[in-house]
Amino acid sequence: MTTDGSSNPDVVLVGGGIMSATLAALFGIVAPDWTVQVFESGTEVAGESSGPWNNAGTGHSALCELNYTPARPDGTVDPAKAVGINEQFQVSRQFWSHLVRSGLTDSPKTFITSVPHVSFVTGTEGHRYMRNRYEALAPQPLFAGLEFTDDPAVLAEWLPLMMADRADGEPVAATRSLAGTDVNFGALTRLLLDDAVGRGVQLHLQHRVRRVRRERDGRWATTVTDLTSGKKRTVRSRFLFVGAGGGALPLLQGAGIPEIRGFGGFPVSGQFLRTRNPELVARHQAKVYGQAKVGAPPMSVPHLDLRLIDGEQALLFGPYAGFSPKFLKAGSMWDLPKSVRSGNLGSMLGAGIANIPLTKYLIGQVLQSTSARFRALEEFVPTAEQDDWELITAGQRVQVIKQDPTTGRGVLQFGTELIVGAEGTVAGLLGASPGASTATAAMLTLLERCFPDRIDAWRPLLQEAIPSYGRELSAEPELLAQVRADTTKTLELQG
């Protein structure tokens, strides 16, 4: 499929985040002779959602995130989604390990570090749920080593900052996994794209993609503007991937592919309280996820996270949801209204009517006072003092709105959605968490859907990089043990 790489590359990747970086790395394995160009509007890569302070850095593996383990009507807990997400994260770990062994970096700790993942609840109902959750997950091979406790003394050892001065007699319960990680997706993105550039991939910073359209010969014409000179040019590729975070929706809409019809986006901004106080950080060496308030959306799950970024340790608490019509932090206030088209108007209206409680919640969050934000932190850290914490703005997320195939109504979807169109010559990724952590699995799915005639030939190469590719670790304990041992050693993680 090789073509002239300057104006007619084989592949164009829109966006300089973790998704495009991961796909570029995969192409380097299965099709190293293809010419690839990456266009990023910012002055550096990973400037939006992949940036380390624009996300919580949780290596999402469902070890602590309670919204991945919903309770059934009878009170038991369904582990299926948690198992699936953990399986996907293991794919990422294998791929990162392969790249490290291939020379990506001599220090994987620059992007991934072991950090315990803890789920924490209070109250009688919370205690019952946590016990049921533990009983559902503990037998699963992917969750081996998960610990449960409702003993305040043990919790004081696990979470000294959170347990100090906590009310006596309050029911508490938690699970802990030492297999958890903190991931600097900004550093990982830079490593992946630096490696790609070393292989010949062309990375264009400060180049904004204005339009994509399919030409009569099937190629994709991508029109870009050089933001430093103002010059426009068009490159024509056989394959196009739009991995521009919130900016993906309008570009896919402009592409005119029927597969995007009915899709919309609901932008949500996020804020966190951050402390760099070394005394506080030393007393909280974990990522702790709680339960969302009754009526609050899954994205509002409160968590107190240890972050390790460029050699610095800090704590983040949040998220505090907000609203902006921008689809990117560096986007336009017109992003949301311009995204409403005749093809998705019904979906947007339907989702809006169905999610009036979410709208009220976001309004409440936007109007929330500083003292109200701090009270939420005090529920996690009773001894917290305002002077130790600062409010920072995280990345902009665009939640997917799509049509329910059974009812035809618009629904708000929490997660990611891969859109593939035009006989597999174009693809884009919509949505948010747990996106970055499962980027490898998502891009493998893209290869399978977009290149079905090549995937069989690529399979041995992919299996060399990702031993569990095409298999389920949860069903093969021996393979899981081997993969876990190999990735733990290569990534220098805790066993």
Side-chain angles (χ1 to χ4, degrees):
M1 188 164 114
T2 304
T3 60
D4 171 27
S6 56
S7 58
N8 295 293
D10 293 313
V11 175
V12 163
L13 308 178
V14 181
I18 187 63
M19 293 296 171
S20 290
T22 299
L23 187 53
L26 285 169
F27 278 134
I29 290 174
V30 300
D33 59 328
W34 288 5
T35 53
V36 180
Q37 293 194 29
V38 183
F39 294 98
E40 164 58 44
S41 62
T43 57
E44 60 181 2
V45 299
E48 288 282 345
S49 295
S50 299
W53 293 118
N54 288 339
N55 59 71
T58 304
H60 284 289
S61 46
L63 295 170
C64 60
E65 306 93 315
L66 300 182
N67 53 311
Y68 297 146
T69 48
R72 300 186 180 100
D74 64 357
T76 59
V77 168
D78 183 357
K81 187 172 184 178
V83 170
I85 289 174
N86 193 302
E87 188 96 40
Q88 290 179 324
F89 185 67
Q90 301 308 318
V91 170
S92 290
R93 278 182 49 150
Q94 292 171 75
F95 188 51
W96 299 340
S97 296
H98 169 78
L99 295 173
V100 168
R101 288 193 298 270
S102 302
L104 181 72
T105 176
D106 59 2
S107 178
K109 288 187 182 298
T110 58
F111 71 88
I112 187 168
T113 312
S114 288
V115 173
H117 282 196
V118 179
S119 302
F120 179 84
V121 295
T122 61
T124 303
E125 289 300 316
H127 181 281
R128 182 181 297 110
Y129 165 78
M130 187 62 71
R131 168 61 75 176
N132 290 339
R133 178 180 181 272
Y134 172 73
E135 291 177 352
L137 291 179
Q140 301 290 334
L142 287 165
F143 291 83
L146 190 68
E147 304 170 87
F148 171 87
T149 187
D150 54 8
D151 185 342
V154 174
L155 281 169
E157 295 177 3
W158 289 4
L159 309 169
L161 183 64
M162 289 177 57
M163 293 303 292
D165 289 353
R166 189 166 290 275
D168 292 334
E170 178 185 37
V172 290
T175 59
R176 181 179 72 165
S177 174
L178 299 181
T181 55
D182 177 82
V183 184
N184 183 336
F185 288 107
L188 177 58
T189 299
R190 289 190 293 272
L191 287 169
L192 291 172
L193 288 176
D194 284 347
D195 183 67
V197 169
R199 298 193 315 271
V201 170
Q202 296 182 31
L203 172 62
H204 305 278
L205 298 177
Q206 292 187 277
H207 278 69
R208 186 179 300 281
V209 174
R210 300 293 185 183
R211 181 187 177 192
V212 296
R213 71 182 189 282
R214 197 179 191 196
E215 299 188 323
R216 290 183 178 179
D217 63 359
R219 291 180 182 271
W220 283 93
T222 302
T223 302
V224 297
T225 300
D226 183 335
L227 299 180
T228 58
S229 67
K231 293 182 178 179
K232 288 186 178 181
R233 66 188 178 100
T234 298
V235 295
R236 294 169 175 83
S237 62
R238 296 183 184 274
F239 177 75
L240 170 68
F241 172 65
V242 184
L249 176 62
L251 286 174
L252 292 171
Q253 288 176 323
I257 56 174
E259 291 81 3
I260 197 64
R261 186 176 179 84
F263 279 89
F266 186 81
V268 178
S269 60
Q271 294 179 313
F272 286 89
L273 288 172
R274 178 176 65 186
T275 182
R276 291 183 164 106
N277 184 320
E279 180 183 350
L280 298 180
V281 174
R283 296 170 62 201
H284 189 81
Q285 296 287 298
K287 288 181 178 288
V288 182
Y289 276 58
Q291 286 181 301
K293 298 290 186 182
V294 176
M299 61 187 165
S300 69
V301 172
H303 43 98
L304 181 62
D305 298 295
L306 174 67
R307 296 304 324 272
L308 301 102
I309 298 173
D310 301 330
E312 176 190 12
Q313 291 195 3
L315 300 182
L316 286 184
F317 176 77
Y320 300 98
F323 176 77
S324 166
K326 294 182 179 181
F327 279 1
L328 295 166
K329 288 184 74 172
S332 165
M333 298 295 283
W334 293 100
D335 285 343
L336 177 58
K338 283 184 177 180
S339 74
V340 180
R341 311 283 182 93
S342 59
N344 68 3
L345 180 59
S347 297
M348 298 285 281
L349 290 175
I353 293 171
N355 288 277
I356 291 176
L358 172 60
T359 303
K360 291 180 178 179
Y361 169 80
L362 290 175
I363 292 173
Q365 289 276 292
V366 171
L367 300 177
Q368 198 173 36
S369 65
T370 300
S371 59
R373 288 193 184 97
F374 197 73
R375 283 195 296 272
L377 171 62
E378 288 178 319
E379 292 182 17
F380 263 61
V381 184
T383 58
E385 297 183 7
Q386 276 189 297
D387 291 344
D388 290 321
W389 299 81
E390 61 177 334
L391 188 67
I392 64 170
T393 300
Q396 190 79 353
R397 306 289 189 268
V398 178
Q399 306 294 335
V400 176
I401 292 175
K402 60 185 293 187
Q403 283 184 328
D404 185 313
T406 57
T407 67
R409 297 175 182 172
V411 293
L412 189 64
Q413 174 177 301
F414 298 98
T416 53
E417 185 82 22
L418 179 65
I419 308 296
V420 175
E423 298 84 45
T425 62
V426 63
L429 197 75
L430 306 178
S433 181
S437 298
T438 58
T440 305
M443 294 301 98
L444 287 171
T445 299
L446 180 150
L447 294 182
E448 293 165 356
R449 292 179 60 185
C450 294
F451 303 96
D453 57 331
R454 297 176 182 267
I455 198 67
D456 285 341
W458 289 350
R459 195 176 307 279
L461 297 169
L462 294 172
Q463 288 174 334
E464 182 179 346
I466 305 162
S468 74
Y469 177 63
R471 302 163 70 177
E472 287 189 8
L473 288 172
S474 58
E476 298 189 47
E478 291 185 4
L479 177 61
L480 171 59
Q482 177 187 334
V483 163
R484 184 169 281 158
D486 289 347
T487 59
T488 296
K489 180 179 179 181
T490 303
L491 297 176
E492 301 177 10
L493 300 174
Q494 184 169 330

